[in-house]
Amino acid sequence: MKNIVALIGLTLCGLSASAQKKPAPKPKAAPATAVASSAAIAEGKAIYTQNCLSCHQADGGGVDGLNPPLIKTSYVLGEKPRIVKVVLNGLQGEDIDGEPYNNAMPSYDFLTDQQIASVLTYVRNSFGNKAAPISAAEVKAIRAANKK
């Protein structure tokens, strides 16, 4: 009986020793989140200053009743196609997050895909906003689908 207990003990020790020799599994990497490049942010800021600042203000706060804020609104932080279409088509007569704004936003479809991507990436990552960047390829696809 002592032999059986000893044999079981040795077997268990051998199993735990062999289990300890196995390398620990590598932790799964967290999914990569897209981060806006500093070049895109800098280009976007310049485009914003030239084209958007007079209506949406330097702080992105807009003008009550006239031009909507860009701070944490569903348009800015929401689905990318909607905000890209606003830049491409302009916007008039729509409430933003339940608030009416009376100024019409003109179309900025003369901007290149890269310029639109950069300015929207800037807006989506400024004024306290944190949202995924928008690429020129995404703008190009939305522009093409928008023409149909």
Short mmCIF file of all heavy atoms in Angstrom, two decimals, residues 25-99:
data_model
loop_
_atom_site.label_atom_id
_atom_site.label_comp_id
_atom_site.label_asym_id
_atom_site.label_seq_id
_atom_site.Cartn_x
_atom_site.Cartn_y
_atom_site.Cartn_z
N PRO A 25 1.41 30.83 -21.32
CA PRO A 25 0.83 31.36 -22.56
C PRO A 25 1.02 32.86 -22.64
O PRO A 25 0.95 33.56 -21.63
CB PRO A 25 -0.65 30.99 -22.46
CG PRO A 25 -0.91 30.73 -21.01
CD PRO A 25 0.41 30.30 -20.43
N LYS A 26 1.28 33.33 -23.84
CA LYS A 26 1.46 34.76 -24.04
C LYS A 26 0.11 35.45 -23.94
O LYS A 26 -0.88 34.96 -24.45
CB LYS A 26 2.06 35.03 -25.41
CG LYS A 26 3.48 34.52 -25.56
CD LYS A 26 4.03 34.84 -26.91
CE LYS A 26 5.44 34.30 -27.06
NZ LYS A 26 5.98 34.53 -28.38
N PRO A 27 0.07 36.59 -23.27
CA PRO A 27 -1.20 37.31 -23.19
C PRO A 27 -1.59 37.80 -24.57
O PRO A 27 -0.74 38.17 -25.38
CB PRO A 27 -0.92 38.47 -22.24
CG PRO A 27 0.55 38.62 -22.23
CD PRO A 27 1.13 37.27 -22.57
N LYS A 28 -2.89 37.77 -24.83
CA LYS A 28 -3.38 38.26 -26.11
C LYS A 28 -3.18 39.76 -26.18
O LYS A 28 -3.43 40.47 -25.21
CB LYS A 28 -4.85 37.91 -26.29
CG LYS A 28 -5.10 36.44 -26.45
CD LYS A 28 -6.57 36.17 -26.71
CE LYS A 28 -6.79 34.67 -26.88
NZ LYS A 28 -8.20 34.37 -27.13
N ALA A 29 -2.73 40.21 -27.32
CA ALA A 29 -2.53 41.63 -27.51
C ALA A 29 -3.88 42.33 -27.58
O ALA A 29 -4.83 41.80 -28.13
CB ALA A 29 -1.75 41.89 -28.80
N ALA A 30 -3.94 43.50 -27.00
CA ALA A 30 -5.16 44.28 -27.08
C ALA A 30 -5.36 44.70 -28.53
O ALA A 30 -4.39 44.92 -29.25
CB ALA A 30 -5.04 45.51 -26.19
N PRO A 31 -6.61 44.77 -28.98
CA PRO A 31 -6.83 45.18 -30.35
C PRO A 31 -6.26 46.56 -30.60
O PRO A 31 -6.37 47.45 -29.75
CB PRO A 31 -8.35 45.17 -30.51
CG PRO A 31 -8.92 45.01 -29.14
CD PRO A 31 -7.82 44.54 -28.24
N ALA A 32 -5.64 46.71 -31.74
CA ALA A 32 -5.03 47.99 -32.07
C ALA A 32 -6.12 49.02 -32.32
O ALA A 32 -7.07 48.76 -33.02
CB ALA A 32 -4.15 47.85 -33.30
N THR A 33 -5.97 50.17 -31.71
CA THR A 33 -6.90 51.25 -31.98
C THR A 33 -6.20 52.26 -32.85
O THR A 33 -5.02 52.54 -32.67
CB THR A 33 -7.38 51.93 -30.68
OG1 THR A 33 -6.23 52.36 -29.96
CG2 THR A 33 -8.19 50.99 -29.82
N ALA A 34 -6.93 52.75 -33.80
CA ALA A 34 -6.34 53.71 -34.72
C ALA A 34 -6.06 55.01 -33.97
O ALA A 34 -6.90 55.49 -33.22
CB ALA A 34 -7.28 53.96 -35.89
N VAL A 35 -4.89 55.53 -34.18
CA VAL A 35 -4.49 56.77 -33.55
C VAL A 35 -4.17 57.76 -34.65
O VAL A 35 -3.51 57.43 -35.64
CB VAL A 35 -3.26 56.55 -32.64
CG1 VAL A 35 -2.77 57.86 -32.05
CG2 VAL A 35 -3.57 55.54 -31.56
N ALA A 36 -4.65 58.96 -34.49
CA ALA A 36 -4.41 59.99 -35.48
C ALA A 36 -2.93 60.39 -35.47
O ALA A 36 -2.34 60.57 -34.41
CB ALA A 36 -5.28 61.20 -35.19
N SER A 37 -2.36 60.51 -36.65
CA SER A 37 -0.96 60.93 -36.73
C SER A 37 -0.86 62.42 -36.43
O SER A 37 -1.80 63.18 -36.67
CB SER A 37 -0.39 60.63 -38.11
OG SER A 37 -0.90 61.54 -39.06
N SER A 38 0.28 62.82 -35.93
CA SER A 38 0.47 64.24 -35.62
C SER A 38 0.47 65.07 -36.90
O SER A 38 0.04 66.23 -36.89
CB SER A 38 1.77 64.45 -34.84
OG SER A 38 2.87 63.95 -35.55
N ALA A 39 0.89 64.49 -38.03
CA ALA A 39 0.88 65.21 -39.31
C ALA A 39 -0.56 65.48 -39.74
O ALA A 39 -0.88 66.59 -40.20
CB ALA A 39 1.62 64.42 -40.37
N ALA A 40 -1.43 64.48 -39.59
CA ALA A 40 -2.84 64.66 -39.96
C ALA A 40 -3.49 65.71 -39.07
O ALA A 40 -4.27 66.54 -39.54
CB ALA A 40 -3.59 63.34 -39.87
N ILE A 41 -3.17 65.68 -37.78
CA ILE A 41 -3.73 66.66 -36.84
C ILE A 41 -3.26 68.07 -37.21
O ILE A 41 -4.05 69.01 -37.23
CB ILE A 41 -3.36 66.32 -35.38
CG1 ILE A 41 -3.99 64.99 -34.95
CG2 ILE A 41 -3.72 67.45 -34.42
CD1 ILE A 41 -5.49 65.02 -34.78
N ALA A 42 -1.98 68.22 -37.51
CA ALA A 42 -1.44 69.54 -37.86
C ALA A 42 -2.07 70.06 -39.16
O ALA A 42 -2.46 71.23 -39.24
CB ALA A 42 0.08 69.47 -38.00
N GLU A 43 -2.16 69.18 -40.17
CA GLU A 43 -2.79 69.59 -41.42
C GLU A 43 -4.27 69.92 -41.18
O GLU A 43 -4.78 70.92 -41.68
CB GLU A 43 -2.68 68.49 -42.47
CG GLU A 43 -3.34 68.88 -43.79
CD GLU A 43 -3.34 67.79 -44.85
OE1 GLU A 43 -3.17 66.60 -44.51
OE2 GLU A 43 -3.52 68.14 -46.03
N GLY A 44 -4.94 69.10 -40.40
CA GLY A 44 -6.34 69.33 -40.10
C GLY A 44 -6.58 70.65 -39.37
O GLY A 44 -7.55 71.36 -39.66
N LYS A 45 -5.70 70.97 -38.46
CA LYS A 45 -5.83 72.24 -37.73
C LYS A 45 -5.69 73.42 -38.67
O LYS A 45 -6.45 74.40 -38.56
CB LYS A 45 -4.78 72.33 -36.61
CG LYS A 45 -4.93 73.57 -35.76
CD LYS A 45 -3.95 73.59 -34.60
CE LYS A 45 -4.19 74.82 -33.75
NZ LYS A 45 -3.31 74.84 -32.57
N ALA A 46 -4.77 73.35 -39.61
CA ALA A 46 -4.59 74.44 -40.59
C ALA A 46 -5.83 74.59 -41.47
O ALA A 46 -6.29 75.70 -41.73
CB ALA A 46 -3.35 74.18 -41.45
N ILE A 47 -6.39 73.48 -41.90
CA ILE A 47 -7.60 73.51 -42.74
C ILE A 47 -8.78 74.04 -41.91
O ILE A 47 -9.58 74.85 -42.40
CB ILE A 47 -7.90 72.11 -43.31
CG1 ILE A 47 -6.78 71.71 -44.26
CG2 ILE A 47 -9.25 72.08 -44.03
CD1 ILE A 47 -6.76 70.24 -44.61
N TYR A 48 -8.89 73.60 -40.66
CA TYR A 48 -9.94 74.09 -39.77
C TYR A 48 -9.82 75.60 -39.60
O TYR A 48 -10.82 76.32 -39.70
CB TYR A 48 -9.84 73.39 -38.40
CG TYR A 48 -10.90 73.84 -37.43
CD1 TYR A 48 -12.15 73.22 -37.42
CD2 TYR A 48 -10.68 74.89 -36.54
CE1 TYR A 48 -13.15 73.63 -36.54
CE2 TYR A 48 -11.66 75.31 -35.66
CZ TYR A 48 -12.89 74.68 -35.66
OH TYR A 48 -13.88 75.10 -34.81
N THR A 49 -8.63 76.08 -39.35
CA THR A 49 -8.41 77.52 -39.14
C THR A 49 -8.84 78.31 -40.37
O THR A 49 -9.48 79.36 -40.25
CB THR A 49 -6.92 77.78 -38.80
OG1 THR A 49 -6.61 77.06 -37.60
CG2 THR A 49 -6.65 79.25 -38.61
N GLN A 50 -8.54 77.80 -41.53
CA GLN A 50 -8.84 78.50 -42.78
C GLN A 50 -10.33 78.41 -43.15
O GLN A 50 -10.88 79.37 -43.68
CB GLN A 50 -8.00 77.92 -43.92
CG GLN A 50 -8.19 78.64 -45.23
CD GLN A 50 -7.26 78.09 -46.31
OE1 GLN A 50 -6.55 77.12 -46.11
NE2 GLN A 50 -7.28 78.72 -47.46
N ASN A 51 -10.98 77.28 -42.89
CA ASN A 51 -12.33 77.06 -43.42
C ASN A 51 -13.45 76.97 -42.39
O ASN A 51 -14.61 77.16 -42.75
CB ASN A 51 -12.34 75.77 -44.24
CG ASN A 51 -11.46 75.85 -45.45
OD1 ASN A 51 -11.79 76.50 -46.42
ND2 ASN A 51 -10.31 75.19 -45.39
N CYS A 52 -13.14 76.63 -41.16
CA CYS A 52 -14.18 76.29 -40.19
C CYS A 52 -14.25 77.22 -38.98
O CYS A 52 -15.31 77.37 -38.36
CB CYS A 52 -13.98 74.87 -39.68
SG CYS A 52 -13.65 73.65 -40.96
N LEU A 53 -13.14 77.81 -38.62
CA LEU A 53 -13.00 78.57 -37.39
C LEU A 53 -13.99 79.72 -37.28
O LEU A 53 -14.55 79.96 -36.21
CB LEU A 53 -11.57 79.09 -37.25
CG LEU A 53 -11.25 79.81 -35.96
CD1 LEU A 53 -9.92 79.32 -35.42
CD2 LEU A 53 -11.19 81.30 -36.19
N SER A 54 -14.26 80.43 -38.37
CA SER A 54 -15.12 81.60 -38.28
C SER A 54 -16.54 81.24 -37.82
O SER A 54 -17.20 82.03 -37.17
CB SER A 54 -15.16 82.36 -39.60
OG SER A 54 -15.68 81.54 -40.62
N CYS A 55 -17.00 80.06 -38.14
CA CYS A 55 -18.34 79.64 -37.72
C CYS A 55 -18.33 78.80 -36.45
O CYS A 55 -19.17 78.98 -35.57
CB CYS A 55 -19.03 78.84 -38.83
SG CYS A 55 -19.40 79.84 -40.30
N HIS A 56 -17.39 77.86 -36.37
CA HIS A 56 -17.38 76.92 -35.23
C HIS A 56 -16.47 77.37 -34.10
O HIS A 56 -16.43 76.71 -33.06
CB HIS A 56 -17.01 75.52 -35.72
CG HIS A 56 -18.04 74.94 -36.64
ND1 HIS A 56 -19.27 74.51 -36.22
CD2 HIS A 56 -18.01 74.75 -37.99
CE1 HIS A 56 -19.96 74.06 -37.26
NE2 HIS A 56 -19.23 74.20 -38.34
N GLN A 57 -15.75 78.47 -34.29
CA GLN A 57 -14.92 79.11 -33.28
C GLN A 57 -13.64 78.33 -32.98
O GLN A 57 -13.53 77.15 -33.27
CB GLN A 57 -15.72 79.36 -32.00
CG GLN A 57 -17.01 80.14 -32.21
CD GLN A 57 -16.79 81.49 -32.87
OE1 GLN A 57 -16.08 82.32 -32.33
NE2 GLN A 57 -17.39 81.72 -34.03
N ALA A 58 -12.69 79.03 -32.39
CA ALA A 58 -11.38 78.44 -32.10
C ALA A 58 -11.48 77.29 -31.11
O ALA A 58 -10.70 76.34 -31.16
CB ALA A 58 -10.44 79.51 -31.56
N ASP A 59 -12.48 77.36 -30.22
CA ASP A 59 -12.62 76.31 -29.20
C ASP A 59 -13.61 75.22 -29.62
O ASP A 59 -13.91 74.32 -28.84
CB ASP A 59 -13.03 76.91 -27.87
CG ASP A 59 -14.42 77.56 -27.90
OD1 ASP A 59 -15.07 77.61 -28.99
OD2 ASP A 59 -14.87 78.03 -26.85
N GLY A 60 -14.14 75.31 -30.85
CA GLY A 60 -15.11 74.32 -31.33
C GLY A 60 -16.49 74.49 -30.73
O GLY A 60 -17.37 73.65 -30.93
N GLY A 61 -16.72 75.59 -30.02
CA GLY A 61 -17.97 75.79 -29.32
C GLY A 61 -19.13 76.28 -30.16
O GLY A 61 -20.27 76.30 -29.69
N GLY A 62 -18.86 76.67 -31.42
CA GLY A 62 -19.94 77.16 -32.27
C GLY A 62 -20.51 78.46 -31.76
O GLY A 62 -19.93 79.14 -30.92
N VAL A 63 -21.68 78.83 -32.31
CA VAL A 63 -22.38 80.04 -31.90
C VAL A 63 -23.84 79.66 -31.65
O VAL A 63 -24.51 79.16 -32.55
CB VAL A 63 -22.30 81.13 -33.00
CG1 VAL A 63 -23.08 82.37 -32.59
CG2 VAL A 63 -20.85 81.48 -33.30
N ASP A 64 -24.32 79.87 -30.43
CA ASP A 64 -25.68 79.48 -30.05
C ASP A 64 -26.70 79.92 -31.10
O ASP A 64 -26.73 81.08 -31.51
CB ASP A 64 -26.07 80.08 -28.70
CG ASP A 64 -25.40 79.36 -27.53
OD1 ASP A 64 -24.91 78.24 -27.73
OD2 ASP A 64 -25.39 79.94 -26.42
N GLY A 65 -27.52 78.97 -31.52
CA GLY A 65 -28.60 79.24 -32.46
C GLY A 65 -28.17 79.43 -33.90
O GLY A 65 -29.00 79.48 -34.79
N LEU A 66 -26.88 79.58 -34.14
CA LEU A 66 -26.39 79.81 -35.51
C LEU A 66 -25.57 78.63 -36.03
O LEU A 66 -25.91 78.04 -37.04
CB LEU A 66 -25.56 81.09 -35.57
CG LEU A 66 -26.29 82.39 -35.27
CD1 LEU A 66 -25.32 83.56 -35.27
CD2 LEU A 66 -27.41 82.63 -36.28
N ASN A 67 -24.46 78.35 -35.36
CA ASN A 67 -23.53 77.31 -35.82
C ASN A 67 -23.31 76.31 -34.69
O ASN A 67 -22.94 76.71 -33.59
CB ASN A 67 -22.20 77.93 -36.22
CG ASN A 67 -22.38 79.06 -37.22
OD1 ASN A 67 -23.06 78.91 -38.21
ND2 ASN A 67 -21.78 80.19 -36.92
N PRO A 68 -23.50 75.04 -34.96
CA PRO A 68 -23.42 74.05 -33.88
C PRO A 68 -22.00 73.87 -33.34
O PRO A 68 -21.02 74.08 -34.05
CB PRO A 68 -23.89 72.75 -34.54
CG PRO A 68 -23.65 72.96 -35.99
CD PRO A 68 -23.81 74.43 -36.25
N PRO A 69 -21.93 73.48 -32.08
CA PRO A 69 -20.62 73.16 -31.51
C PRO A 69 -20.10 71.85 -32.10
O PRO A 69 -20.87 71.03 -32.59
CB PRO A 69 -20.91 73.01 -30.02
CG PRO A 69 -22.33 72.57 -29.96
CD PRO A 69 -23.02 73.25 -31.12
N LEU A 70 -18.82 71.68 -32.03
CA LEU A 70 -18.17 70.45 -32.48
C LEU A 70 -17.69 69.64 -31.29
O LEU A 70 -16.97 68.67 -31.45
CB LEU A 70 -17.00 70.79 -33.41
CG LEU A 70 -17.39 71.60 -34.64
CD1 LEU A 70 -16.15 71.99 -35.43
CD2 LEU A 70 -18.38 70.86 -35.51
N ILE A 71 -18.10 70.04 -30.12
CA ILE A 71 -17.66 69.41 -28.88
C ILE A 71 -18.62 68.29 -28.50
O ILE A 71 -19.78 68.54 -28.17
CB ILE A 71 -17.59 70.45 -27.74
CG1 ILE A 71 -16.63 71.57 -28.12
CG2 ILE A 71 -17.20 69.80 -26.43
CD1 ILE A 71 -16.70 72.79 -27.23
N LYS A 72 -18.11 67.06 -28.60
CA LYS A 72 -18.82 65.86 -28.15
C LYS A 72 -20.26 65.76 -28.67
O LYS A 72 -21.15 65.36 -27.94
CB LYS A 72 -18.77 65.75 -26.63
CG LYS A 72 -17.34 65.61 -26.14
CD LYS A 72 -17.25 65.41 -24.65
CE LYS A 72 -15.78 65.29 -24.25
NZ LYS A 72 -15.60 65.10 -22.84
N THR A 73 -20.48 66.11 -29.93
CA THR A 73 -21.81 65.94 -30.53
C THR A 73 -21.86 64.60 -31.25
O THR A 73 -20.83 64.04 -31.65
CB THR A 73 -22.14 67.05 -31.53
OG1 THR A 73 -21.28 66.95 -32.66
CG2 THR A 73 -22.02 68.43 -30.89
N SER A 74 -23.06 64.10 -31.45
CA SER A 74 -23.22 62.82 -32.15
C SER A 74 -22.73 62.92 -33.59
O SER A 74 -22.27 61.93 -34.16
CB SER A 74 -24.68 62.38 -32.11
OG SER A 74 -25.50 63.29 -32.81
N TYR A 75 -22.82 64.09 -34.19
CA TYR A 75 -22.33 64.24 -35.56
C TYR A 75 -20.82 64.06 -35.62
O TYR A 75 -20.30 63.42 -36.53
CB TYR A 75 -22.70 65.62 -36.12
CG TYR A 75 -24.06 65.64 -36.77
CD1 TYR A 75 -25.21 65.65 -36.02
CD2 TYR A 75 -24.17 65.65 -38.16
CE1 TYR A 75 -26.45 65.66 -36.61
CE2 TYR A 75 -25.41 65.66 -38.77
CZ TYR A 75 -26.56 65.66 -37.99
OH TYR A 75 -27.77 65.67 -38.60
N VAL A 76 -20.12 64.62 -34.67
CA VAL A 76 -18.65 64.55 -34.67
C VAL A 76 -18.16 63.17 -34.23
O VAL A 76 -17.27 62.59 -34.84
CB VAL A 76 -18.06 65.66 -33.78
CG1 VAL A 76 -16.56 65.46 -33.60
CG2 VAL A 76 -18.35 67.02 -34.36
N LEU A 77 -18.74 62.64 -33.18
CA LEU A 77 -18.25 61.39 -32.60
C LEU A 77 -18.93 60.15 -33.18
O LEU A 77 -18.48 59.04 -32.94
CB LEU A 77 -18.44 61.41 -31.08
CG LEU A 77 -17.68 62.51 -30.35
CD1 LEU A 77 -18.02 62.50 -28.88
CD2 LEU A 77 -16.19 62.41 -30.57
N GLY A 78 -19.99 60.35 -33.94
CA GLY A 78 -20.76 59.23 -34.47
C GLY A 78 -20.12 58.57 -35.69
O GLY A 78 -18.91 58.65 -35.90
N GLU A 79 -20.96 57.95 -36.48
CA GLU A 79 -20.50 57.24 -37.66
C GLU A 79 -19.80 58.17 -38.63
O GLU A 79 -20.27 59.29 -38.90
CB GLU A 79 -21.70 56.57 -38.35
CG GLU A 79 -22.36 55.49 -37.50
CD GLU A 79 -21.45 54.32 -37.22
OE1 GLU A 79 -20.72 53.88 -38.12
OE2 GLU A 79 -21.43 53.85 -36.06
N LYS A 80 -18.70 57.71 -39.18
CA LYS A 80 -17.88 58.53 -40.06
C LYS A 80 -18.62 59.02 -41.30
O LYS A 80 -18.47 60.19 -41.67
CB LYS A 80 -16.62 57.76 -40.47
CG LYS A 80 -15.68 57.47 -39.33
CD LYS A 80 -14.52 56.62 -39.80
CE LYS A 80 -13.63 56.19 -38.67
NZ LYS A 80 -12.48 55.39 -39.17
N PRO A 81 -19.41 58.17 -41.98
CA PRO A 81 -20.06 58.65 -43.22
C PRO A 81 -20.93 59.90 -43.01
O PRO A 81 -20.96 60.77 -43.87
CB PRO A 81 -20.90 57.46 -43.67
CG PRO A 81 -20.17 56.27 -43.13
CD PRO A 81 -19.65 56.73 -41.79
N ARG A 82 -21.59 60.00 -41.89
CA ARG A 82 -22.46 61.15 -41.67
C ARG A 82 -21.68 62.45 -41.63
O ARG A 82 -22.04 63.42 -42.30
CB ARG A 82 -23.27 60.98 -40.38
CG ARG A 82 -24.20 62.17 -40.14
CD ARG A 82 -25.28 61.90 -39.13
NE ARG A 82 -24.76 61.86 -37.78
CZ ARG A 82 -25.54 61.83 -36.70
NH1 ARG A 82 -26.85 61.79 -36.83
NH2 ARG A 82 -25.00 61.79 -35.51
N ILE A 83 -20.59 62.50 -40.88
CA ILE A 83 -19.81 63.74 -40.79
C ILE A 83 -19.11 64.05 -42.11
O ILE A 83 -18.98 65.20 -42.50
CB ILE A 83 -18.85 63.73 -39.58
CG1 ILE A 83 -18.27 65.12 -39.32
CG2 ILE A 83 -17.75 62.73 -39.75
CD1 ILE A 83 -19.24 66.13 -38.80
N VAL A 84 -18.66 63.02 -42.81
CA VAL A 84 -18.03 63.25 -44.12
C VAL A 84 -19.06 63.84 -45.08
O VAL A 84 -18.76 64.79 -45.82
CB VAL A 84 -17.42 61.94 -44.69
CG1 VAL A 84 -16.97 62.13 -46.13
CG2 VAL A 84 -16.25 61.48 -43.82
N LYS A 85 -20.28 63.32 -45.08
CA LYS A 85 -21.33 63.84 -45.96
C LYS A 85 -21.70 65.29 -45.62
O LYS A 85 -22.05 66.06 -46.50
CB LYS A 85 -22.56 62.95 -45.91
CG LYS A 85 -22.37 61.64 -46.63
CD LYS A 85 -23.61 60.77 -46.51
CE LYS A 85 -23.39 59.41 -47.13
NZ LYS A 85 -24.58 58.55 -46.96
N VAL A 86 -21.62 65.65 -44.35
CA VAL A 86 -21.87 67.04 -43.97
C VAL A 86 -20.84 67.95 -44.64
O VAL A 86 -21.18 68.99 -45.19
CB VAL A 86 -21.87 67.23 -42.44
CG1 VAL A 86 -21.85 68.70 -42.06
CG2 VAL A 86 -23.08 66.54 -41.82
N VAL A 87 -19.58 67.55 -44.62
CA VAL A 87 -18.54 68.36 -45.25
C VAL A 87 -18.73 68.37 -46.77
O VAL A 87 -18.61 69.42 -47.40
CB VAL A 87 -17.13 67.85 -44.87
CG1 VAL A 87 -16.05 68.59 -45.65
CG2 VAL A 87 -16.91 68.00 -43.37
N LEU A 88 -19.06 67.24 -47.35
CA LEU A 88 -19.22 67.17 -48.81
C LEU A 88 -20.47 67.90 -49.31
O LEU A 88 -20.43 68.54 -50.37
CB LEU A 88 -19.30 65.70 -49.26
CG LEU A 88 -18.02 64.89 -49.16
CD1 LEU A 88 -18.30 63.42 -49.45
CD2 LEU A 88 -16.97 65.44 -50.11
N ASN A 89 -21.57 67.80 -48.57
CA ASN A 89 -22.86 68.32 -49.04
C ASN A 89 -23.30 69.61 -48.37
O ASN A 89 -24.25 70.24 -48.83
CB ASN A 89 -23.96 67.28 -48.81
CG ASN A 89 -23.67 65.97 -49.50
OD1 ASN A 89 -23.09 65.92 -50.57
ND2 ASN A 89 -24.08 64.89 -48.87
N GLY A 90 -22.67 69.96 -47.26
CA GLY A 90 -23.17 71.07 -46.46
C GLY A 90 -24.33 70.59 -45.61
O GLY A 90 -24.71 69.41 -45.65
N LEU A 91 -24.92 71.50 -44.85
CA LEU A 91 -26.02 71.13 -43.96
C LEU A 91 -26.87 72.37 -43.68
O LEU A 91 -26.34 73.44 -43.42
CB LEU A 91 -25.47 70.57 -42.64
CG LEU A 91 -26.47 69.95 -41.68
CD1 LEU A 91 -27.07 68.67 -42.28
CD2 LEU A 91 -25.81 69.63 -40.36
N GLN A 92 -28.19 72.16 -43.74
CA GLN A 92 -29.10 73.26 -43.43
C GLN A 92 -30.41 72.69 -42.93
O GLN A 92 -30.89 71.67 -43.44
CB GLN A 92 -29.36 74.09 -44.69
CG GLN A 92 -30.25 75.28 -44.45
CD GLN A 92 -30.38 76.16 -45.68
OE1 GLN A 92 -29.88 75.84 -46.75
NE2 GLN A 92 -31.05 77.28 -45.52
N GLY A 93 -30.97 73.33 -41.93
CA GLY A 93 -32.29 72.98 -41.46
C GLY A 93 -32.38 71.71 -40.64
O GLY A 93 -33.46 71.16 -40.47
N GLU A 94 -31.28 71.22 -40.13
CA GLU A 94 -31.29 70.03 -39.27
C GLU A 94 -30.87 70.41 -37.87
O GLU A 94 -29.93 71.17 -37.67
CB GLU A 94 -30.30 68.98 -39.80
CG GLU A 94 -30.94 67.99 -40.73
CD GLU A 94 -30.02 66.82 -41.04
OE1 GLU A 94 -29.61 66.10 -40.10
OE2 GLU A 94 -29.72 66.65 -42.21
N ASP A 95 -31.60 69.86 -36.91
CA ASP A 95 -31.20 70.04 -35.51
C ASP A 95 -29.99 69.16 -35.24
O ASP A 95 -29.88 68.06 -35.79
CB ASP A 95 -32.33 69.64 -34.57
CG ASP A 95 -33.50 70.61 -34.60
OD1 ASP A 95 -33.41 71.63 -35.31
OD2 ASP A 95 -34.49 70.33 -33.91
N ILE A 96 -29.10 69.63 -34.40
CA ILE A 96 -27.93 68.87 -33.98
C ILE A 96 -28.13 68.51 -32.52
O ILE A 96 -28.19 69.40 -31.66
CB ILE A 96 -26.62 69.67 -34.16
CG1 ILE A 96 -26.49 70.22 -35.57
CG2 ILE A 96 -25.41 68.83 -33.76
CD1 ILE A 96 -26.37 69.20 -36.67
N ASP A 97 -28.26 67.22 -32.25
CA ASP A 97 -28.49 66.73 -30.89
C ASP A 97 -29.66 67.47 -30.22
O ASP A 97 -29.58 67.87 -29.05
CB ASP A 97 -27.22 66.82 -30.05
CG ASP A 97 -26.15 65.85 -30.53
OD1 ASP A 97 -26.47 64.92 -31.29
OD2 ASP A 97 -24.98 66.04 -30.15
N GLY A 98 -30.73 67.69 -31.01
CA GLY A 98 -31.94 68.29 -30.48
C GLY A 98 -31.96 69.81 -30.43
O GLY A 98 -32.94 70.40 -30.00
N GLU A 99 -30.89 70.45 -30.86
CA GLU A 99 -30.82 71.91 -30.84
C GLU A 99 -30.87 72.45 -32.26
O GLU A 99 -30.16 71.98 -33.14
CB GLU A 99 -29.51 72.37 -30.19
CG GLU A 99 -29.38 72.02 -28.73
CD GLU A 99 -30.35 72.80 -27.85
OE1 GLU A 99 -30.62 73.98 -28.12
OE2 GLU A 99 -30.85 72.21 -26.88
#
